[in-house]
Each structure stands twice: as structure tokens, then as C-alpha cells.
């Protein structure tokens, strides 16, 4: 088992109106000893923006904005924006986030050169309703985990699957921190798994692109739920970390229990030159809700990882605790990689579909 130290809460809600109901799920960018924190700020009434704080070292917050850093401005995000992830490629920051228009939760992209000024590039996930989605993924036949059809069946029973304005939910959008074979690479989370997309420019992610992609969805799955700790579904957590052993992916798994969903922080290793190939994954969680502030909050029993920082061999994972506060946990990255190497998947099971 990996030794994990929970350092506890580093950011809590304030009396400021924009974050008076909760702070969580921070995007993290490390610049030497400085940690930039772009966090989800929840206002009472179910409205969210992106706040900003700064840490000196892994967990000493030394600055915090009194106003939101990024606010909803466009129609597709009019009811809130949340759950930012950050990578920097060359001299540009890529901030992916979830945009909510009151009906749909979509992945969106903003770019920046200084983390002060942001240019919103729009949504980058499939503009397709559940009826269209079901028709497309049926082309994969029995190659897909049956749960890929669950959302369609749910909305069909409600008579909503064919509504043109109701798009499929696609959240947890994360870029790799470098181009691979000359292309941008993105992970995303269509229920119940994690998938990968290669593209030259986000403007190429058109409806036509996504239709072709979804018709071959089984070829783009990186991870599907596996084992009791992720039996319900899984989702992308932090941006992948490049190591000599492969891309280290910190993600979350959701377990169904008699008391509701229980979130766990999980780890997997992906091939460096072809990250769609799973090398290994831990069979057990790195950590789970055990502290009162992880068990009780706006959404109980949630640890939701969205960012990381490295200080020597110490890997710090930043996460939302019960959708109420922001916490950090530490582990030795070499110990984690050694443990993952013990869990290498066989060639036959690398495509867990």
C-alpha cells in the first residue's frame, strides 16, 4: 500500500458572495515554489465561478482574490463554470472547464498567456443529443461496456432523449501537458469511462468530427470501470504526469453503496507514446473519504482530484473535499510508480472494454 499523508484543508468558503457556499476542485499550475490555484467557487443558489489563490510551497496559501478570476459570459455557461484544469504547452496556458447552461454540462476551453487575461475558445465536447449518441455508439456493437447506453435509456424513459437542445454530458476535460506526435491530446469522460482524443486544433472538434469519433468510440477508450472501487463510473482527475515509466494518471472512481456514491482517488499508468494504452492501474484507492470534512459537505463522501504539484519526489494531490473545501494529500511518486509496476495489465486486457 502507498503511504499517503493528508495535510488537510488549505482553502475554505469565505463570506464573499461568489464563494459563500463552497470552494472545491482546483486547477493547479506549479511555477517553482509558487502554486497557482484556480478553484471552483460556489455561490448560494447553485451558481459557480472560478476563483484564484496562490500558495508558497505545497500548502501555505499566501494570496487570494476577493473577486472571481473567470466568470460566465457566454450562453453555454450562463448558469456557471467550474472544475478547471490547467496545463501549459510552449508559452500558452490551456484551461479546460465545465460550462453549465442550465440544462447541459459541457467541456469548454480558455487560453491565457499570464493567468490574468483569458480568451474563451468555446465548447470542445460533442454537440450531440442522446438520441444521436445512441445511434452512433451502436455501431460499436458489443465492444462497448453496456453502461455506455445507460444515459440514453434514462432520458428515453423520461421522453427527453431526442430533445435537440439537450446534449450528452461530457465533463472532466483534461489536456496532456505536451503534444504527442505533433497533436494536442485530450482526455474526457463519457459515462462510464475515460476516453482520448487527438486533434490538430480545437476548431477541428466539429459535430462532423465527433460523429465519426463516436461511431468508433470503442477505439478511443483508455479506461473503463474495473473492480469494486470504480464499479459505478470513473472520470479524469488531474492532468497526466510524464514519468520515465509512462504517463501517471490520477483519476477518480465511484463506488455504489447502500448509502449512495462513494468517491475514491485512483492511479493508472499509460504508455508514453500511445497513452490510449493502459500499462497498469492500482486495484485499490490511493485514498478515500475518511475525514469528517471529506465525508460531510455539500455532497457527502467525495474526494475529487483535479491538480498536482511535485516537490522533489513528493507528489501533492489537490482535491475537492465533499464539494465544500479544498484539501491536499502527499505521497512519494517513486513509491507510487513502483507499486503500479506490480499491477501491470496483460496484453489481452489492455483494452478493458
Amino acid at each position: 500500500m502507498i503511504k499517503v499523508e493528508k495535510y488537510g484543508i488549505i482553502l475554505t468558503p469565505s463570506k464573499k458572495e461568489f464563494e459563500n457556499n463552497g470552494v472545491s476542485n482546483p486547477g493547479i499550475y506549479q511555477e517553482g515554489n509558487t502554486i497557482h490555484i484556480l478553484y471552483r467557487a460556489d455561490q448560494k443558489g447553485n451558481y459557480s465561478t472560478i476563483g484564484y489563490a496562490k500558495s508558497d510551497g505545497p500548502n501555505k496559501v499566501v494570496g487570494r482574490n476577493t473577486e472571481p478570476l473567470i466568470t460566465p459570459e457566454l450562453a453555454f455557461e450562463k448558469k456557471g463554470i467550474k472544475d478547471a484544469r490547467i496545463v501549459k504547452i510552449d508559452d500558452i496556458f490551456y484551461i479546460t472547464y465545465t460550462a453549465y447552461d442550465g440544462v447541459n454540462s459541457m467541456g469548454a476551453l480558455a487560453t491565457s498567456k499570464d493567468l490574468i487575461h483569458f480568451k474563451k475558445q468555446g465548447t470542445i465536447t460533442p454537440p450531440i443529443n442522446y438520441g444521436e449518441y445512441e445511434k452512433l455508439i451502436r455501431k460499436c456493437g458489443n465492444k462497448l461496456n453496456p453502461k455506455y447506453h445507460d444515459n440514453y435509456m434514462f432520458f428515453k424513459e423520461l421522453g427527453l432523449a431526442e430533445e435537440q437542445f439537450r446534449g450528452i454530458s461530457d465533463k472532466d476535460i483534461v489536456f496532456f501537458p505536451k503534444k504527442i506526435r505533433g497533436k494536442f491530446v485530450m482526455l474526457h469522460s463519457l459515462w462510464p469511462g475515460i476516453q482520448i482524443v487527438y486533434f490538430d486544433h480545437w476548431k477541428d472538434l466539429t459535430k462532423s468530427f465527433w460523429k465519426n469519433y463516436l461511431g468508433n468510440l470503442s477505439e478511443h477508450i483508455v479506461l473503463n470501470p474495473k473492480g469494486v472501487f470504480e464499479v459505478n463510473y470513473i472520470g479524469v482527475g488531474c492532468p497526466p504526469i510524464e514519468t520515465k515509466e509512462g504517463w501517471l494518471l490520477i483519476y477518480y472512481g465511484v463506488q455504489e453503496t447502500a448509502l449512495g456514491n462513494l468517491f475514491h482517488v485512483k492511479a493508472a499508468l499509460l504508455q508514453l507514446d500511445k497513452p490510449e494504452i493502459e500499462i497498469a492501474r492500482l486495484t485499490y484507492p490511493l485514498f478515500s473519504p475518511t475525514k469528517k470534512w471529506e465525508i460531510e459537505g455539500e455532497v457527502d463522501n467525495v474526494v475529487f482530484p483535479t491538480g498536482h504539484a511535485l516537490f522533489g519526489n513528493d507528489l501533492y494531490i489537490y482535491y475537492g473535499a465533499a464539494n465544500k473545501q479544498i484539501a491536499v494529500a502527499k505521497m512519494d511518486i517513486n513509491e507510487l510508480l513502483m507499486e503500479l509496476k506490480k499491477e501491470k495489465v496483460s496484453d489481452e486486457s489492455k483494452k478493458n472494454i
Side-chain angles (χ1 to χ4, degrees):
M1 297 287 286
I2 309 294
K3 181 183 178 183
V4 176
E5 296 180 54
K6 291 184 177 179
Y7 276 75
I9 300 299
I10 62 167
L11 215 61
T12 62
S14 76
K15 294 181 180 180
K16 299 291 182 183
E17 185 179 18
F18 78 98
E19 57 181 13
N20 60 10
N21 201 53
V23 295
S24 59
N25 306 357
I28 298 294
Y29 183 74
Q30 181 177 8
E31 193 172 37
N33 205 52
T34 299
I35 305 297
H36 300 279
I37 308 169
L38 275 64
Y39 61 89
R40 170 179 172 176
D42 287 328
Q43 180 178 329
K44 290 177 182 176
N46 192 29
Y47 182 79
S48 55
T49 56
I50 303 297
Y52 174 83
K54 181 171 64 174
S55 174
D56 179 20
N59 58 355
K60 181 183 177 182
V61 174
V62 294
R64 182 173 181 177
N65 287 6
T66 57
E67 300 290 339
L69 182 67
I70 310 175
T71 58
E73 302 168 289
L74 305 169
F76 62 82
E77 58 186 18
K78 63 184 177 182
K79 293 296 183 178
I81 57 178
K82 59 186 180 180
D83 302 354
R85 276 82 157 188
I86 312 166
V87 301
K88 190 178 186 181
I89 302 175
D90 298 325
D91 63 343
I92 298 176
F93 293 98
Y94 295 87
I95 300 95
T96 47
Y97 62 96
T98 297
Y100 182 56
D101 66 3
V103 175
N104 301 299
S105 293
M106 301 158 286
L109 172 68
T111 55
S112 176
K113 288 202 169 185
D114 54 12
L115 293 183
I116 298 172
H117 307 92
F118 301 87
K119 182 177 181 180
K120 292 181 178 177
Q121 306 294 349
T123 58
I124 55 172
T125 49
I128 288 171
N129 71 11
Y130 284 98
E132 293 176 287
Y133 174 71
E134 179 66 14
K135 290 173 186 175
L136 289 165
I137 67 171
R138 279 181 189 167
K139 296 178 182 179
C140 300
N142 60 5
K143 295 179 181 179
L144 285 177
N145 182 316
K147 279 198 169 189
Y148 278 89
H149 303 279
D150 283 1
N151 276 334
Y152 167 73
M153 296 306 296
F154 173 78
F155 284 106
K156 182 183 178 182
E157 289 177 7
L158 296 175
L160 304 175
E162 302 298 334
E163 288 184 340
Q164 289 302 313
F165 63 85
R166 186 180 298 278
I168 57 173
S169 179
D170 192 355
K171 303 186 289 184
D172 302 331
I173 313 299
V174 175
F175 279 22
F176 279 73
K178 65 185 286 187
K179 290 185 177 182
I180 299 176
R181 303 194 300 275
K183 291 183 178 289
F184 288 103
V185 189
M186 178 176 87
L187 296 174
H188 63 129
S189 301
L190 288 168
W191 173 284
I194 295 172
Q195 306 82 31
I196 195 166
V197 188
Y198 290 83
F199 57 95
D200 293 313
H201 194 279
W202 51 89
K203 291 181 180 178
D204 298 334
L205 301 176
T206 61
K207 186 169 185 176
S208 174
F209 173 95
W210 284 115
K211 279 187 167 184
N212 181 66
Y213 178 92
L214 293 172
N216 297 280
L217 184 60
S218 59
E219 301 301 315
H220 307 300
I221 295 171
V222 179
L223 299 175
N224 266 337
K226 185 177 180 181
V228 65
F229 299 109
E230 47 191 62
V231 67
N232 195 359
Y233 65 97
I234 59 176
V236 187
C238 307
I241 304 167
E242 187 175 13
T243 78
K244 64 182 184 299
E245 304 295 343
W247 289 103
L248 174 60
L249 179 65
I250 306 298
Y251 66 102
Y252 66 90
V254 182
Q255 178 183 1
E256 291 178 296
T257 75
L259 299 177
N261 286 337
L262 177 62
F263 281 65
H264 305 278
V265 176
K266 297 292 301 300
L269 201 59
L270 309 177
Q271 191 168 302
L272 281 176
D273 59 336
K274 291 184 178 179
E276 59 270 29
I277 297 177
E278 175 188 356
I279 298 173
R281 79 170 95 179
L282 290 186
T283 56
Y284 58 87
L286 284 174
F287 59 92
S288 305
T290 56
K291 305 294 185 182
K292 184 176 181 180
W293 34 269
E294 299 167 334
I295 295 170
E296 299 176 6
E298 284 300 302
V299 182
D300 294 346
N301 295 310
V302 172
V303 286
F304 196 90
T306 44
H308 57 73
L310 264 174
F311 289 84
N313 292 328
D314 291 333
L315 173 63
Y316 291 84
I317 303 297
Y318 298 81
Y319 62 98
N323 279 29
K324 190 71 177 181
Q325 302 178 97
I326 294 170
V328 63
K330 185 191 83 169
M331 64 208 70
D332 186 296
I333 191 170
N334 290 329
E335 183 184 355
L336 174 54
L337 291 171
M338 286 178 61
E339 196 72 8
L340 276 163
K341 287 170 70 175
K342 298 176 186 176
E343 303 285 355
K344 279 196 173 183
V345 299
S346 66
D347 291 337
E348 290 77 18
S349 61
K350 282 183 180 177
K351 276 292 182 182
N352 177 42
I353 58 178

